[in-house]
Amino acid sequence: MAGFYFGSLGMGDGVQDLIAVMLRYLVCFTIGSLTGTVLIVWSISDWLVKLTAFCRSYQNGQTLEESLDYLKTRKGFLFVTWFLYGILMTPFILILIAGSAISLMQSSIIPQPLELPDYIKIVADTASLVGLIFTTMYGALLIAVSGVSNGKGSSAAIQAFVGSFKTFIPLLVYSILANIIYCVTMELVFTVVSIRMSTQAYAPGMWEMVYIIFGSSFLRGIASFFVLPFLIAVPAEITKRAIKN
């Protein structure tokens, strides 16, 4: 986000600065994208392993250390599990990416925001919401299922996918509440800024945007230690009861 923001500064300055502006944009965006991708892949994979271990310890009565040691011997299992998740969720992920891109291009932080008809905005927002809810439902249940599964990664991915429909209503309610809790805790800064930008004629300045980006990242990191285990305990309980039944 920082690379995109700093790279887009000055895009409306005129044709004579176009080459310099585009070069700066490409450099900033490339550095930001590569750095962000590396950090995102590392942090998500680390969190997935630890949340899966948390679910396993919760469901099997083990210590977190015992569950982590067990999962370290099951890296191939976890890779296959989440690889299949990515394949099955590809349509929803593409919808989320497209919806995020459309929202970003309409943002007031862009020198020349994109103007779209209202019906396109409604369709894009609705599709993004459906994609967000279902990827949350399936992903949360998959963490819980993979924590107790001793079979193949493909079997765990399919079991969780089928389970998402068998427990659709409780998972749907959970996913909606989980996303709300996520927005008012881990993403509190961006939630407040987004509301101000959508309800008021508010556009953050350069340094204000810097504070928003890095302040929200710091808050997200701290809050994740408390919020993520709390949220993942719900699908862990659903899985635990399903196993008993």
Side-chain angles (χ1 to χ4, degrees), residues 115-127:
E115 294 292 336
L116 292 174
D118 290 338
Y119 70 89
I120 294 182
K121 296 179 183 178
I122 294 174
V123 171
D125 291 341
T126 302

Side-chain angles (χ1 to χ4, degrees), residues 3 60 68 73 75 166 177:
N60 291 352
L68 281 171
T73 66
K75 293 181 180 179
K166 289 183 177 180
L177 293 176

Side-chain angles (χ1 to χ4, degrees), residues 90-154:
T90 295
F92 295 105
I93 294 172
L94 292 177
I95 290 173
L96 285 172
I97 293 174
S100 299
I102 291 174
S103 298
L104 186 60
M105 295 307 295
Q106 297 177 87
S107 173
S108 57
I109 67 172
I110 304 298
Q112 296 180 347
L114 181 66
E115 294 292 336
L116 292 174
D118 290 338
Y119 70 89
I120 294 182
K121 296 179 183 178
I122 294 174
V123 171
D125 291 341
T126 302
S128 297
L129 181 61
V130 172
L132 178 63
I133 294 299
F134 193 77
T135 52
T136 302
M137 291 171 58
Y138 181 31
L141 190 62
L142 183 55
I143 292 175
V145 171
S146 60
V148 293
S149 177
N150 295 317
K152 296 180 179 180
S154 56

Side-chain angles (χ1 to χ4, degrees), residues 6-214:
F6 289 122
S8 63
L9 291 176
M11 280 191 170
D13 289 350
V15 179
Q16 65 274 16
D17 298 324
L18 180 61
I19 295 178
V21 169
M22 289 303 298
L23 285 174
R24 183 180 64 188
Y25 174 78
L26 290 174
V27 171
C28 291
F29 185 69
T30 300
I31 294 174
S33 299
L34 291 176
T35 305
T37 300
V38 171
L39 293 176
I40 287 172
V41 170
W42 167 74
S43 61
I44 289 179
S45 60
D46 192 50
W47 262 118
L48 284 177
V49 171
K50 290 179 179 177
L51 288 175
T52 303
F54 172 78
C55 288
R56 183 176 180 82
S57 64
Y58 173 78
Q59 295 165 334
N60 291 352
Q62 298 177 334
T63 65
L64 186 59
E65 290 75 14
E66 289 174 336
S67 296
L68 281 171
D69 290 339
Y70 174 79
L71 290 176
K72 288 178 180 178
T73 66
R74 301 267 288 168
K75 293 181 180 179
F77 162 82
L78 292 175
F79 175 81
V80 171
T81 298
W82 289 100
F83 180 75
L84 285 177
Y85 170 87
I87 292 177
L88 292 172
M89 294 294 100
T90 295
F92 295 105
I93 294 172
L94 292 177
I95 290 173
L96 285 172
I97 293 174
S100 299
I102 291 174
S103 298
L104 186 60
M105 295 307 295
Q106 297 177 87
S107 173
S108 57
I109 67 172
I110 304 298
Q112 296 180 347
L114 181 66
E115 294 292 336
L116 292 174
D118 290 338
Y119 70 89
I120 294 182
K121 296 179 183 178
I122 294 174
V123 171
D125 291 341
T126 302
S128 297
L129 181 61
V130 172
L132 178 63
I133 294 299
F134 193 77
T135 52
T136 302
M137 291 171 58
Y138 181 31
L141 190 62
L142 183 55
I143 292 175
V145 171
S146 60
V148 293
S149 177
N150 295 317
K152 296 180 179 180
S154 56
S155 299
I158 294 173
Q159 286 175 0
F161 185 75
V162 174
S164 299
F165 295 96
K166 289 183 177 180
T167 57
F168 185 82
I169 298 301
L171 267 183
L172 177 63
V173 174
Y174 156 79
S175 298
I176 294 173
L177 293 176
N179 279 287
I180 293 174
I181 293 172
Y182 180 83
C183 288
V184 299
T185 53
M186 292 178 63
E187 294 295 344
L188 178 62
V189 175
F190 273 123
T191 300
V192 173
V193 172
S194 298
I195 292 175
R196 287 190 61 188
M197 292 176 66
S198 60
T199 59
Q200 307 171 13
Y202 169 69
M206 184 181 73
W207 288 109
E208 189 177 3
M209 197 66 193
V210 172
Y211 297 144
I212 290 171
I213 291 173
F214 291 100

